[in-house]
Amino acid sequence: IDTLCTWKEASKDGHCIIRSASLIQAATGLGQLELTRELLQRGATIVVQNSSGRQPLTLTACFGYAACMLLLLQHSADPDLQSTDREAARGNGYTALMHAAYLGHETCVQVLLRAGASTELHNLRGETASQLAKTQRHLAVVETIAQHARNKRAGRQAAELEAAESRAQTVALEVREALEARANAAREELLAEEAAEEAAGQAMWRAADWKPK
């Protein structure tokens, strides 16, 4: 099911180019959701490159096929896999998020961000997904990425605050337990002293053969 299909094309300068792609690459590259689902159920490999060096997830990002993209992600496709596009210098080191951001596919960007795609990775030119979107003036995509980053920071800060509060509660509980243990020990020591004094007094009474009237 992962056999590569090959064909020939003529380049712009008249040279013959041999292309290749697997069935799942063809399906995702054409946005064929049901065919993609069938191939995945039959065990098709999702980490496979076509003749241009693109992965199935990359193809969905390039063409804006969000439904196929989501399906691949649900089958454990790596959103941060960086590929090499052999036919376009801009593709070198791109993640699916970078492709989607550069091409302005906002829905795909949202899908990838929800799947945990990193906004901090750089391609071989040192560009992030947000910077690529900005170069193409895809302002909605830029804002989507920025909002995701803000939400992530807020979530991290909330988690850190919750952890700090939990640590504080743990310390307070430990201190309270230590104080209670110390108080209990002091109380037991006092009771022991009182019992010892009472026993000593009774012993003295018995020794003097003295009885209270």
Side-chain angles (χ1 to χ4, degrees):
I1 197 169
D2 291 326
T3 302
L4 292 177
C5 304
T6 59
W7 66 95
K8 295 179 180 180
E9 287 184 4
S11 64
K12 294 180 181 179
D13 56 8
H15 290 88
C16 179
I17 300 176
I18 299 177
R19 305 282 192 186
S20 66
S22 67
L23 291 176
I24 195 166
Q25 286 169 329
T28 52
L30 293 172
Q32 297 296 313
L33 180 61
E34 293 308 316
L35 179 56
T36 300
R37 192 191 312 278
E38 178 68 21
L39 291 168
L40 289 171
Q41 289 175 347
R42 290 173 178 245
T45 302
I46 58 176
V47 184
V48 58
Q49 294 182 344
N50 62 10
S51 55
S52 299
R54 294 181 179 179
Q55 309 280 346
L57 190 65
T58 302
L59 294 171
T60 62
C62 288
F63 295 112
Y65 298 133
C68 285
M69 171 183 286
L70 180 59
L71 186 59
L72 291 172
L73 291 167
Q74 289 171 343
H75 282 76
S76 303
D78 184 358
D80 290 333
L81 186 64
Q82 293 178 276
S83 61
T84 300
D85 189 333
R86 301 187 184 99
E87 297 178 6
R90 74 167 182 82
N92 289 331
Y94 271 44
T95 62
L97 181 62
M98 292 178 191
H99 280 292
Y102 181 86
L103 295 166
H105 298 311
E106 186 178 358
T107 302
C108 288
V109 169
Q110 293 171 344
V111 169
L112 288 163
L113 291 176
R114 291 192 190 107
S118 173
T119 60
E120 300 175 359
L121 291 175
H122 296 77
N123 62 14
L124 296 186
R125 292 183 176 182
E127 301 162 314
T128 65
S130 180
Q131 291 169 336
L132 289 166
K134 198 173 296 183
T135 63
Q136 302 303 304
R137 301 189 63 79
H138 298 309
L139 301 184
V141 171
V142 174
E143 176 56 26
T144 295
I145 295 174
Q147 183 61 50
H148 174 79
R150 288 193 293 268
N151 292 343
K152 191 173 182 180
R153 281 195 299 272
R156 186 162 54 243
Q157 290 170 351
E160 290 173 354
L161 179 60
E162 184 179 352
E165 290 177 348
S166 178
R167 287 194 297 271
Q169 290 173 357
T170 300
V171 170
L173 179 61
E174 291 174 350
V175 169
R176 185 166 63 251
E177 289 176 346
L179 291 174
E180 289 176 354
R182 188 177 299 176
N184 290 334
R187 192 160 44 246
E188 290 175 0
E189 184 177 351
L190 179 60
L191 290 174
E193 289 176 356
E194 291 176 350
E197 289 177 358
E198 183 178 354
Q202 291 176 352
M204 289 176 62
W205 293 338
R206 285 194 298 271
D209 194 23
W210 178 86
K211 295 181 180 180
K213 297 180 180 180

